[in-house]
Amino acid sequence: MDRSGRDAGGSDRFGPDDDRRLRRAVVTGGAGFVGSHLCDRLREEGASVVCVDNLLTGSVDNLAARADDPGFVLDRSDVSEEFDVEGPVDLVLHLASPASPHDYARHPIETLRAGAHGTLNALELARRKGARFLLASTSEVYGDPLVHPQVESYWGNVNPVGPRSQYDEAKRFAEALTTAYRTALGVDTVIVRLFNTYGPRMRPTDGRAVPTFITQALAGRPLTVAGDGAQTRSICYVDDTVSGILAAAASGHRGPVNIGNPVELSVLELAEHIRELCSSSSPVEFVERPGDDPTLRRPDIGLARTAFGWQPVVDFDKGLAMTIDWFARLAPGGP
Ligand code: NAD
């Protein structure tokens, strides 16, 4: 391994040459918000895709563009049970897991099983196929961070029995398991820690700040800001997140590596900004803050920049405008 985190030999795992071309990828959780954009991008870039998703929190609607696509297959297996994919596989991208606080509160056991059994089964698939494996981990492994902005070398501040523990600890275990498969079994792995991502195909009721504020602002209802709204978030447009995931996968890097947008703003600022972009006059209503809600969130993306030249490029207001437009089309009587 050199200092950039690449394996000895240093070259990227996938590239344009014929012997390094990414031909076939498995995306677990590919019917979800991030996963469906990832499937679309992989198909645009010429890889065939097997999406493994039991539709626990995802939807075939997200895969509408793939309906008659001969290079795309949807397998409705539960990754927490053993599963297999026929034929060669070059890359396994493991995203299957409930991800929004509402979803993992409703599905705590499924979330822990997806992080534990699901990650084991996805790693086993990569091992059998000799494929590269990417784990979609999360900034939540940093918990309520005592180091700001969050760097990959920070170990985190997580409550192992708190209201978010089923998600945070599932991902921390998944990172440990991925690391063990690399060191003990030689599987070619990379861990990406995704920070909050937003964009079209989020569900209006998934409880995350962006869809909540947009749907409230569009309907003229009060914007419900948790606590005093001083807690901060950094949100990354989904196209940028997908580019970061694929850049990490193509590199020879092992991670963990942060993928997120370092522009940080308070939740109250975010609510007020979305209200302005929606031309809404909704009032702000302060509501109780959920337990263990992180106070600060901002990625240090220096490693992704130097290791594989990635950084977000989508303008904040443009990304929000595209997302608002998508939600407006969903709303009854929308354009
Ligand atoms: P999502 O809920 O939209 O997608 C998750 C997908 O996984 C869904 O389609 C769901 O049906 C599927 N799934 C869940 N359990 C499964 C199982 N046992 N077997 C097969 N499929 C299963 O969530 P998302 O926002 O797209 O998140 C995708 C991944 O990215 C998750 O692993 C999440 O932890 C990670 N992540 C997302 C964000 C974000 O802001 N969206 C931030 C950090 C990390």
Side-chain angles (χ1 to χ4, degrees), residues 209-278:
V210 169
T212 302
F213 294 150
I214 294 178
T215 40
Q216 290 170 335
L218 290 175
R221 286 188 275 115
L223 305 187
T224 49
V225 170
D228 62 4
Q231 65 277 21
T232 67
R233 295 293 181 268
S234 302
I235 59 172
C236 190
Y237 191 66
V238 64
D239 288 357
D240 281 331
T241 300
V242 164
S243 300
I245 291 172
L246 290 177
S251 75
H253 205 277
R254 69 174 181 176
V257 57
N258 291 335
I259 299 292
N261 191 322
V263 175
E264 179 183 16
L265 70 173
S266 75
V267 169
L268 180 57
E269 284 168 337
L270 178 64
E272 289 173 340
H273 195 61
I274 287 176
R275 175 172 64 183
E276 197 184 314
L277 291 175
C278 291

Side-chain angles (χ1 to χ4, degrees), residues 27 35 43 47 73 83 101 103 111 135 138 144 152 171 220 250 253 314 323:
V27 181
R43 289 296 299 126
V73 173
F83 69 98
D103 287 336
T111 303
L135 173 69
T138 169
D144 193 4
E152 290 86 349
K171 290 289 185 180
H253 205 277
V314 177
T323 311

Side-chain angles (χ1 to χ4, degrees), residues 28-35 52-59 62 77-80 94-100 103 110 114 136-139 167 171 193-198 201-203 208:
T28 77
F33 160 51
V34 179
V52 183
D53 196 306
N54 67 351
L55 305 181
L56 179 67
T57 57
S59 165
N62 291 335
S77 299
D78 177 345
V79 296
S80 299
H94 180 45
L95 280 77
S97 167
S100 83
D103 287 336
E110 291 89 338
S137 184
T138 169
S139 58
Y167 183 64
K171 290 289 185 180
R193 291 181 178 155
L194 307 182
F195 282 63
N196 289 346
T197 296
Y198 72 99
R201 302 184 193 159
M202 294 186 94
R203 281 167 293 140
R208 294 188 261 207

Side-chain angles (χ1 to χ4, degrees), residues 4-6 132-139 141-142 150-154 175 178-179 189-195 241 243-261 299-311:
S4 75
R6 283 192 163 95
R132 181 152 161 85
F133 175 89
L134 177 140
L135 173 69
S137 184
T138 169
S139 58
V141 299
Y142 300 121
Q150 289 78 60
V151 275
E152 290 86 349
S153 53
Y154 175 51
E175 288 200 10
T178 301
T179 303
T189 61
V190 56
I191 297 166
V192 292
R193 291 181 178 155
L194 307 182
F195 282 63
T241 300
S243 300
I245 291 172
L246 290 177
S251 75
H253 205 277
R254 69 174 181 176
V257 57
N258 291 335
I259 299 292
N261 191 322
D300 180 315
I301 59 164
L303 181 59
R305 275 200 180 105
T306 53
F308 43 84
W310 174 84
Q311 61 182 11

